[in-house]
Amino acid sequence: MRSPIVGLHHVTAFSSNPQRNLDFYTEILGLRFVKRTVNFDDPGTYHFYFGDDAGSPGTIMTTFPGPRSARGQAGVGETSHVAFSIPLASLDYWHTRLTGLGVLVERTGKRFSEEVLTLADPDGMKIELVGTADVIAPKAPRFADVPAEHSIRGFFGVSLLLHAAEKTAAVLNMMGFAKVAEEGNRQRFSAPGDALGNHIDLVIDPAAKYGHFGAGSVHHIAFRAKDDEAQKEWRALIEQTLDVTPVLDRDYFHSIYFREPGGVLFELATDNPGFATDESIDTLGERLCLPEWVEPQRAKIEARVAPIELKKSLQKAQVTA
């Protein structure tokens, strides 16, 4: 029997200023800087990973910071909002925290059965904090100043902006996501169980315009495959109806990519081997980690990427690439 896809593995977006991007996700949202590496398809560009203390699947927000990146424009066929899960009792804490730090945040109100706060990252990517009564126990980032009981747990899900739902819904159904609710022009598809990131919302707007990628745009969303064997089985099923890439080694997981009919790029990434393969769990994110085939270019890459300062609440350290 094929192992189920239980939810999101990670979400990857374009960003601009590396230091500003790092500060927002660690100092504002309180996520851990899990990995600093490079874009494997463009080794002269950073690839940042942020998540819970262990870098668990279902918690990982990743960015491609390019200092000269122009601002993107959200549009149809893209991920319009990325939602994180927080305890329902933490909504007031987060509203107060974000406002106090100068972040514009809106009490969006109730969607389905959850309360939602909406904000944007420094590049304009829309983020939601979804308050839920049933949240998993925290793996709170050790250097964050957010109290563990209020910490972001990981993903709640994402919203996809589409002209029509039917073909995308069929792909989600094939992946094990079922339609569980509908409200106005929003349809919710959920995977069974209570794993992080198991909600995919389709927002249908036949009049929506196409956007263009740039800083603040989501490049792709990645779903979880239990292991290599599960990914192989899912790939065999997916390729019956969609074009899908060969398996690509991303060092911390193995990936396949395919574009669903509505235009959103999907990835299926393995849970293993994880982020502690080339640095210890205690020092995640503290040095530039390069794939073996790029290591000979380290000096050139270090000279090209901008130096960044990893700020910690428990200790301050100047760390350059």
Side-chain angles (χ1 to χ4, degrees):
M1 183 177 177
R2 189 182 300 111
S3 295
I5 295 171
V6 297
L8 294 171
H9 183 282
H10 66 268
V11 174
T12 296
F14 295 109
S15 62
S16 55
N17 185 289
Q19 185 66 56
R20 186 177 64 181
N21 181 251
L22 173 61
D23 290 347
F24 177 81
Y25 284 99
T26 57
E27 298 290 292
I28 304 295
L29 294 189
L31 301 179
R32 188 173 186 189
F33 192 28
V34 172
K35 190 68 61 177
R36 74 176 74 188
T37 183
V38 292
N39 183 341
F40 285 12
D41 299 317
D42 179 14
T45 303
Y46 274 131
H47 192 175
F48 290 167
Y49 293 77
F50 306 96
D52 70 2
D53 194 64
S56 306
T59 74
I60 303 296
M61 183 73 216
T62 100
T63 61
F64 296 136
R68 291 171 292 279
S69 297
R71 179 68 67 91
Q73 176 64 51
V76 73
E78 297 181 30
T79 299
S80 63
H81 293 69
V82 177
F84 292 99
S85 178
I86 61 171
L88 180 61
S90 298
L91 283 165
D92 287 343
Y93 167 85
W94 277 101
H95 188 271
T96 300
R97 174 183 175 84
L98 293 168
T99 301
L101 291 171
V103 177
L104 294 176
V105 56
E106 174 189 357
R107 288 186 179 271
T108 316
K110 183 165 286 189
R111 178 186 303 148
F112 299 120
S113 60
E114 294 87 25
E115 295 283 346
V116 181
L117 299 177
T118 302
L119 60 145
D121 79 358
D123 293 296
M125 189 188 82
K126 292 296 180 67
I127 292 173
E128 295 172 333
L129 301 181
V130 180
T132 56
D134 299 318
V135 291
I136 66 168
K139 295 180 181 177
R142 63 191 66 191
F143 299 116
D145 66 348
V146 177
E149 65 270 22
H150 296 305
S151 63
I152 288 173
R153 302 306 202 254
F155 291 119
F156 180 83
V158 292
S159 295
L160 312 182
L161 179 61
L162 304 169
H163 278 154
E166 290 75 14
K167 292 182 179 180
T168 301
V171 173
L172 291 173
N173 290 161
M174 177 266 292
M175 296 170 63
F177 287 73
K179 183 177 176 181
V180 296
E182 185 168 1
E183 189 175 86
N185 68 335
R186 180 181 295 268
Q187 301 177 20
R188 173 159 294 173
F189 290 76
S190 300
D194 56 0
L196 290 166
N198 67 333
H199 304 296
I200 309 296
D201 285 5
L202 307 185
V203 179
I204 310 306
D205 184 355
K209 297 180 179 179
Y210 289 94
H212 59 84
F213 277 149
S217 300
V218 174
H219 182 263
H220 65 269
I221 61 174
F223 296 86
R224 293 175 62 181
K226 180 181 178 181
D227 51 29
D228 291 330
E229 184 60 30
Q231 184 185 68
K232 179 181 177 181
E233 293 173 351
W234 277 108
R235 187 183 184 282
L237 178 63
I238 294 165
E239 70 174 352
Q240 293 178 20
T241 54
L242 298 169
D243 292 332
V244 59
T245 68
V247 176
L248 301 175
D249 187 351
R250 301 308 195 189
D251 276 12
Y252 313 111
F253 45 85
H254 302 145
S255 300
I256 59 173
Y257 300 84
F258 56 100
R259 196 171 295 278
E260 58 84 25
V264 182
L265 184 61
F266 283 3
E267 176 184 351
L268 188 60
T270 57
D271 281 358
N272 55 314
F275 293 98
T277 58
D278 51 8
E279 53 187 344
S280 75
I281 192 72
D282 293 328
T283 60
L284 289 176
E286 295 188 9
R287 69 181 185 89
L288 180 66
C289 295
L290 299 176
E292 184 177 348
W293 56 274
V294 174
E295 187 62 45
Q297 303 175 48
R298 175 175 286 275
K300 181 179 179 180
I301 291 171
E302 288 179 338
R304 179 174 176 177
V305 297
I308 53 175
E309 180 186 2
L310 176 58
K311 304 167 187 175
K312 300 177 180 178
S313 295
L314 300 183
Q315 64 183 47
K316 297 287 185 179
Q318 178 70 33
V319 184
T320 59

